[in-house]
Amino acid sequence: MKETASSAYLRRLVHAICLGGASTLSLTAISATSGAATTDAATTGAATTGASTDELQEITVTGIRASLQQSLDIKRDSFGIVDAISAEDIGKFPDSNLATAMERIPGVTVSRANVSVGGIAGTTGKANQITVRGFGPEFNQTLYDGRQVPTSTGNRGFDFGAVGADFVGQVDVLKTPDSTLSSGAIGATINIKYPKPFDHPGLQLAGSVSGSDGSGSNKITPNAGLLISDTFADNRFGVLADVAYSEVKTRGNHVDIQGWEGGRGDGNSGLAPCQLAGAGPCPSPTPAPTIKDWFIQDYGVYQEHNDDKRVGGRLVLQARPVDGLEITIDDNYSKETLTQIQQGFSVWFNNNSLTNVVQAPDGTVTSFLQPNSPTDFQAAINGSVIQDNTLGFNVKWDLNEHNSLLFDAYTAQSKLNPGGQLSERDADVGYGNSPALASTFGVNVTGGKNLPYPVGYGPSSDASQFLNPAIIGSHVLVEDYAQNKDTVNQFKLQGTWSDENLKFKYGVQFTHEAVELSGFTDLPYTWQMYAGYGPPPIGTGGVVPVPANLISGTFGTGSNFISGFGNGGNLPPSIMAANGNAIYNYLTGLNGAGQNVAACSNLAGATPCTGKYIMYQNVGQTQDISENTTSPYLNLSEKTKIAELPLWINVGARYEITHVNSAGLSQLPVGQLTILPTDHTAYNVTYTPTTYVSTKSEYRYLLPNIDLALGVTDALKVRVDLSRTLTRPQLTNLTPDLNVPAGQRVGALNATGGNPTLLPFLSDNVDIGAEWYYAPNSYLSVDGFVKEVTNFIVGGTRTGPINGVTLPDGSLAQFAITSQVNGPSAEVRGVELAVQHLFWDTGFGIQANATFVSTNKPYNPNDLSTSGFAVTGLANSYNFVPFFEKYGFMVRVAINHQNEFLNNFGQHQPNSQFGAEPVFVNAGTYVDLTTSYQINRHFNVYFEALNLTDQAYSTHGRFSEQLLDVVDTGRLYTLGVHAKL
């Protein structure tokens, strides 16, 4: 019987599924292309469209070389400065992480930092955000297939760690703007492109399955993906569906200093000249403050167990009902669940109680002691859930030979903790709130690649009793979560007229973005219900003993606690690893028995004390912002000649009209601050009733661009690009109210104020470059750029009273008030060098690039003004990627280095007299290894090792010895199989 087309299709599908089911890779799909035969993916192959072997065969190159060639073609043929990364094959992106992949691009550096929502600054070790030409995540715009991507994290920076690379087709990094795409970005526009059914006609099945092991996690976690695509009815209709799941567990060893607070003499710093080591007793009266100094506010040592789960799916429907008309509907869904169990200890230092102080010449306090220091053992569960969904409708209609129309409608939503998941539950227990157990605790800072280490730890500074569970009592228990939502609705109508050498695009785009930010935390002062230290009668207030089985776990440190850093042997050899959820359940199970009466009397709204921890909405973290932007645009591109040399001309302009509506809740402190009886480092604050405030603003900008490319020879192209781009202000800076958070600390009163009328950053850009494509799949390029950036947004900090609030002694309370304003301008300049070379037919090749950047506004650590300004993110960097691919075998080593750079202003404890203290990321070199072997044309086994040299992530403050965070997450190994037919 003759086989019909439908039966042949079913036969191929069943055959593919059976092949997968018969192997050990039961979760892995097989890729099959209808009517085509393929060869080894790592070698040259042929595909025929008929049965005769005499017909012309199409030569197909796949693998790394195909990916590099496609990326090279995109770079060469683009009007502007564009670098791209292309999939090696459908369902086979070169890297498992998009940020890691983009790190190979000139001018792109990657951040491996992660701030747990509501938790202590740390890192999971994965690459999650990028900096382009020195401009950080908030200066870059990320698009999905040309559409704006919402982000619910509370800022505009995009987290690439939340996006699976499993089925990405291509990533374009546009360093010069495309007026038809967006307003551009001062750093770059990143356009993530996904495959569609019509991109690969016929039946396509692709999949992978793998296991990952983070060094120290001691558990292999699964990863799997499946893609199915097919076209029907002579390629008139198509459907694509994919689904992916991944889980990665890592363990981080972490030494943390939450802030280096600056001051002078015995002012807010608490250090009088007579307190310096060897200076003798203090005279009376105390000398006037004259000595600048920076001291440690909070010191801690932790171990963090991270679990990152991600599930995603995509469905695409396409139709060509008539020639020239193409309709596409696509829906993308993803959900990332990040959980971090953080265990360790910390000690808080008050600014007026340090003794035996030793300072470095720059003023950094490198050694000190603090009598009567309480010790916290912390058991925190931090985390976040981010759920994204996008839905798009696109119509392309070729009216005739020269004219076409495009209509695109898109709605997208990102939600943070949509089910009210906790961002942080931090159960603190400890000892020390009595003369009998108080420690004279201190920290030594030796600088260089050494960890700051504690001295005098343990009750009564007895290290042998450091972990004695018999003297551990409850202290505080803090809970909070953020619940954010970002909604984007976008519409675009575009027309195109074109002939052989000329193309003219014109259109309009409307974007509505609505952001809802909400924060929830403990109702004051439920977190103090069982506050104190040590069991009664040693403890005070409502402290209760904590059963030993809830705090009996420990983790070790040792000399190799953090790779590349010394002094690990000076840390406490074992540190308590308490169970935060178990402590929470134990305390709530007491039903108020033995609770702190004073804390109960302070509960907001006269809420009755039941022994239960109560959450309420944090006024200062509540914010609603909407932005409506209308953007008419046009773009003209032409290929012509000058002196018989080919010249490509591209001229565009985009006019942005943005209306902003910002609303929030305001609540100011009133009356007199009182010291909490259960925590003498904290104040009780009384507030006015909550009021609703809102503000409207508007701005308009014309954003032109011109790109010129001259073909000096067939292989040599020179470019000149001129443009203006903008980056909108951070969302959290647009709040219209003054925020004075609860839990104010003695000697560290602070408040923040928003500015809803902030204007966007503007940048006038010049790029001049040359590209030499001297051999197949090989090129050499150089690009110089200058960016003149205005309207920089800076946080000015001033000290002053708020609403007449007084201290317990009756004097006027002085708050460090930080607010945002548009201010200075700066110039950023740099050079990018890149080479890609294949060594004939040997299978060997290299990619290498280097970026050198500078500015006329570098950071000056000796500038102690509270409104100091400097350009952040600037780091020289280089990438070197040698590889070999032949005989079915592939191996690639990626070496990525970036110099030290200024990352941001504002440490975790922002209480310095000198304004927002800086955070520098220390220089780091990361080495990644990827290798694979093509077993046959169906199966490819691969192995990936990330951070092969175990590079730790570290930051420091104003001076190099002011270490902030040092985190060692170790290596991450993945072994898996790709399959296709």
Side-chain angles (χ1 to χ4, degrees):
M1 181 181 294
K2 184 176 180 181
E3 188 178 46
T4 64
S6 59
S7 63
Y9 168 78
L10 290 174
R11 176 181 56 80
R12 294 195 306 272
L13 180 58
V14 171
H15 177 63
I17 294 174
C18 288
L19 279 177
S23 71
T24 58
L25 305 172
S26 58
L27 295 179
T28 303
I30 314 300
S31 175
T33 302
S34 176
T38 60
T39 63
D40 190 318
T43 61
T44 300
T48 62
T49 57
S52 172
T53 58
D54 295 331
E55 294 183 12
L56 180 65
Q57 293 184 331
E58 178 186 352
I59 304 299
T60 304
V61 178
T62 58
I64 285 182
R65 287 175 292 168
S67 173
L68 293 179
Q69 182 63 55
Q70 184 176 348
S71 300
L72 180 151
D73 292 340
I74 294 169
K75 180 180 182 71
R76 180 183 56 203
D77 298 337
S78 298
F79 283 103
I81 307 294
V82 179
D83 287 286
I85 304 167
S86 304
E88 298 176 15
D89 201 351
I90 187 170
K92 191 180 179 184
F93 200 72
D95 294 272
S96 60
N97 181 287
L98 289 183
T100 302
M102 284 184 283
E103 193 173 28
R104 325 283 189 238
I105 290 176
V108 177
T109 55
V110 165
S111 170
R112 287 171 169 80
N114 182 77
V115 178
S116 300
V117 179
I120 293 173
T123 178
T124 61
K126 70 178 182 180
N128 59 350
Q129 293 186 320
I130 67 168
T131 293
V132 182
R133 292 179 164 182
F135 290 90
E138 68 275 14
F139 288 96
N140 303 308
Q141 184 176 28
T142 300
L143 312 174
Y144 286 170
D145 289 318
R147 298 157 170 168
Q148 182 176 328
V149 182
T151 173
S152 56
T153 56
N155 57 57
R156 300 187 193 269
F158 186 76
D159 183 0
F160 291 94
V163 181
D166 309 82
F167 301 117
V168 170
Q170 180 179 309
V171 177
D172 294 340
V173 179
L174 289 77
K175 299 173 184 175
T176 56
D178 180 347
S179 62
T180 69
L181 198 61
S182 71
S183 58
I186 294 179
T189 301
I190 296 93
N191 192 15
I192 301 173
K193 298 180 178 179
Y194 291 95
K196 300 178 180 63
F198 290 163
D199 297 340
H200 303 274
L203 175 63
Q204 307 287 332
L205 296 177
S208 65
V209 62
S210 65
S212 297
D213 179 26
S215 58
S217 66
N218 297 320
K219 185 175 182 180
I220 297 176
T221 54
N223 310 277
L226 171 66
L227 180 146
I228 304 175
S229 176
D230 204 0
T231 54
F232 314 90
D234 295 327
N235 296 328
R236 291 286 185 182
F237 298 95
V239 59
L240 180 150
D242 65 54
V243 62
Y245 172 84
S246 71
E247 181 177 8
V248 175
K249 291 181 180 290
T250 59
R251 185 196 68 192
N253 293 332
H254 186 179
V255 171
D256 171 64
I257 293 173
Q258 294 193 29
W260 285 86
E261 310 305 345
R264 287 188 181 276
D266 63 349
N268 285 346
S269 72
L271 301 177
C274 57
Q275 289 179 289
L276 301 180
C282 284
S284 181
T286 302
T290 58
I291 301 174
K292 63 180 182 179
D293 53 70
W294 288 265
F295 73 98
I296 292 173
Q297 182 83 87
D298 187 286
Y299 174 89
V301 180
Y302 305 96
Q303 190 168 86
E304 295 148 351
H305 298 268
N306 308 295
D307 187 3
D308 189 0
K309 297 178 182 178
R310 185 180 64 239
V311 61
R314 187 165 183 265
L315 177 66
V316 186
L317 305 175
Q318 285 192 293
R320 289 194 184 107
V322 296
D323 290 343
L325 179 63
E326 181 177 292
I327 302 171
T328 303
I329 300 174
D330 62 274
D331 188 8
N332 297 293
Y333 172 84
S334 68
K335 181 179 181 180
E336 182 190 35
T337 302
L338 176 63
T339 304
Q340 179 189 78
I341 297 175
Q342 184 181 61
Q343 298 164 317
F345 84 96
S346 67
V347 177
W348 177 272
F349 299 103
N350 293 317
N351 53 14
N352 58 357
S353 59
L354 307 185
T355 65
N356 296 82
V357 173
V358 177
Q359 287 182 271
D362 57 28
T364 300
V365 175
T366 58
S367 178
F368 65 89
L369 295 174
Q370 177 179 266
N372 302 316
S373 297
T375 298
D376 280 308
F377 291 99
Q378 293 173 300
I381 296 91
N382 304 318
S384 63
V385 176
I386 298 178
Q387 181 176 298
D388 297 339
N389 194 77
T390 70
L391 177 64
F393 175 75
N394 182 277
V395 178
K396 299 176 183 177
W397 186 15
D398 295 330
L399 299 175
N400 52 48
E401 181 182 358
H402 298 290
N403 292 280
S404 64
L405 292 175
L406 178 147
F407 172 73
D408 191 85
Y410 166 77
T411 182
Q413 194 169 83
S414 178
K415 297 179 180 180
L416 174 66
N417 301 327
Q421 294 89 348
L422 280 177
S423 299
E424 176 193 27
R425 172 176 288 162
D426 185 3
D428 290 0
V429 298
Y431 50 78
N433 199 30
S434 72
L437 295 180
S439 305
T440 300
F441 195 103
V443 178
N444 286 343
V445 179
T446 56
K449 298 284 283 187
N450 292 306
L451 300 173
Y453 63 90
V455 294
Y457 58 85
S460 302
S461 297
D462 183 354
S464 67
Q465 297 298 304
F466 183 56
L467 302 180
N468 184 357
I471 56 174
I472 300 296
S474 62
H475 184 208
V476 296
L477 194 147
V478 178
E479 294 181 290
D480 61 67
Y481 70 93
Q483 194 168 34
N484 302 338
K485 183 169 67 174
D486 185 2
T487 303
V488 173
N489 296 313
Q490 197 168 70
F491 302 91
K492 183 176 184 178
L493 181 61
Q494 177 178 293
T496 302
W497 184 93
S498 63
D499 63 13
E500 185 177 355
N501 295 314
L502 182 66
K503 180 177 287 188
F504 177 60
K505 294 182 180 180
Y506 52 94
V508 63
Q509 181 172 290
F510 173 78
T511 303
H512 168 77
E513 182 173 14
V515 180
E516 302 173 27
L517 306 178
S518 299
F520 298 82
T521 189
D522 307 276
L523 182 73
Y525 283 83
T526 57
W527 59 291
Q528 291 269 350
M529 283 192 304
Y530 296 100
Y533 290 104
I538 298 173
T540 59
V543 65
V544 297
V546 177
N549 65 308
L550 304 184
I551 56 176
S552 58
T554 62
F555 65 88
T557 57
S559 59
N560 295 321
F561 185 63
I562 294 182
S563 174
F565 282 80
N567 280 345
N570 291 324
L571 301 176
S574 293
I575 297 174
M576 188 176 297
N579 188 319
N581 282 331
I583 294 172
Y584 170 85
N585 292 331
Y586 171 74
L587 294 178
T588 56
L590 296 176
N591 296 317
Q595 66 187 355
N596 189 308
V597 176
C600 287
S601 66
N602 289 327
L603 288 189
T607 304
C609 262
T610 63
K612 307 300 181 184
Y613 293 93
I614 304 170
M615 304 286 282
Y616 85 115
Q617 189 169 12
N618 189 328
V619 171
Q621 295 178 8
T622 301
Q623 189 175 353
D624 290 340
I625 299 171
S626 65
E627 292 179 336
N628 294 319
T629 301
T630 304
S631 308
Y633 62 85
L634 54 85
N635 191 87
L636 177 67
S637 55
E638 181 181 12
K639 182 180 179 181
T640 184
K641 288 187 177 182
I642 181 171
E644 298 305 314
L645 299 178
L647 176 66
W648 292 266
I649 303 173
N650 184 65
V651 179
R654 188 179 182 95
Y655 189 55
E656 295 260 324
I657 308 167
T658 301
H659 297 271
V660 181
N661 185 23
S662 177
L665 299 177
S666 179
Q667 195 179 52
L668 296 178
V670 294
Q672 188 176 61
L673 303 176
T674 58
I675 294 177
L676 291 174
T678 54
D679 188 345
H680 291 178
T681 70
Y683 285 123
N684 180 35
V685 185
T686 304
Y687 292 93
T688 63
T690 301
T691 59
Y692 180 84
V693 292
S694 65
T695 303
K696 294 182 179 181
S697 62
E698 175 188 337
Y699 52 82
R700 302 168 181 244
Y701 289 101
L702 177 65
L703 307 173
N705 68 279
I706 180 169
D707 308 297
L708 304 174
L710 179 67
V712 179
T713 68
D714 290 341
L716 180 63
K717 178 181 283 189
V718 295
R719 298 180 182 270
V720 176
D721 304 88
L722 310 173
S723 64
R724 167 173 278 195
T725 53
L726 65 78
T727 290
R728 304 185 194 283
Q730 284 287 77
L731 295 168
T732 51
N733 289 339
L734 296 175
T735 179
D737 61 288
L738 182 66
N739 175 32
V740 183
Q744 293 285 329
R745 291 286 183 177
V746 174
L749 298 176
N750 67 89
T752 57
N755 184 352
T757 63
L758 287 173
L759 297 175
F761 304 82
L762 280 180
S763 180
D764 294 314
N765 317 295
V766 178
D767 280 81
I768 300 176
E771 301 158 6
W772 179 30
Y773 300 92
Y774 58 86
N777 214 341
S778 300
Y779 75 90
L780 178 68
S781 71
V782 58
D783 182 66
F785 61 89
V786 177
K787 295 178 179 289
E788 296 284 350
V789 186
T790 57
N791 286 350
F792 263 103
I793 297 171
V794 294
T797 301
R798 62 181 176 85
T799 300
I802 296 178
N803 207 27
V805 172
T806 60
L807 296 174
D809 63 4
S811 63
L812 202 61
Q814 299 294 316
F815 292 79
I817 305 170
T818 301
S819 59
Q820 308 298 314
V821 295
N822 289 108
S825 61
E827 178 182 282
V828 175
R829 49 206 174 237
V831 176
E832 297 172 349
L833 305 173
V835 62
Q836 178 174 301
H837 182 75
L838 270 64
F839 294 93
W840 309 284
D841 195 33
T842 63
F844 288 96
I846 61 166
Q847 283 181 288
N849 60 70
T851 304
F852 307 94
V853 289
S854 63
T855 179
N856 65 338
K857 295 291 179 67
Y859 180 70
N860 178 9
N862 296 313
D863 181 1
L864 303 184
S865 63
T866 59
S867 58
F869 166 73
V871 177
T872 60
L874 299 182
N876 295 341
S877 62
Y878 67 75
N879 304 305
F880 181 65
V881 187
F883 62 88
F884 173 83
E885 184 183 40
K886 200 170 185 179
Y887 310 119
F889 178 72
M890 184 277 293
V891 61
R892 180 187 66 184
V893 178
I895 304 169
N896 310 111
H897 173 85
Q898 61 183 20
N899 287 356
E900 173 187 297
F901 65 93
L902 174 63
N903 189 61
N904 64 278
F905 287 95
Q907 298 173 9
H908 197 67
Q909 295 292 342
N911 305 315
S912 175
Q913 278 190 9
F914 305 134
E917 292 288 333
V919 176
F920 285 87
V921 175
N922 290 323
T925 301
Y926 292 85
V927 180
D928 302 329
L929 169 71
T930 303
T931 185
S932 66
Y933 180 71
Q934 194 79 30
I935 299 173
N936 55 40
R937 66 188 182 120
H938 301 305
F939 296 98
N940 172 287
V941 61
Y942 68 94
F943 173 75
E944 182 180 68
L946 301 181
N947 194 16
L948 198 59
T949 56
D950 194 10
Q951 171 72 57
Y953 172 86
S954 63
T955 61
H956 71 80
R958 185 179 294 257
F959 302 106
S960 61
E961 67 267 33
Q962 294 180 3
L963 216 57
L964 289 167
D965 282 291
V966 191
V967 190
D968 182 4
T969 54
R971 306 168 181 87
L972 179 64
Y973 304 101
T974 301
L975 177 64
V977 175
H978 289 292
K980 56 180 289 185
L981 182 65

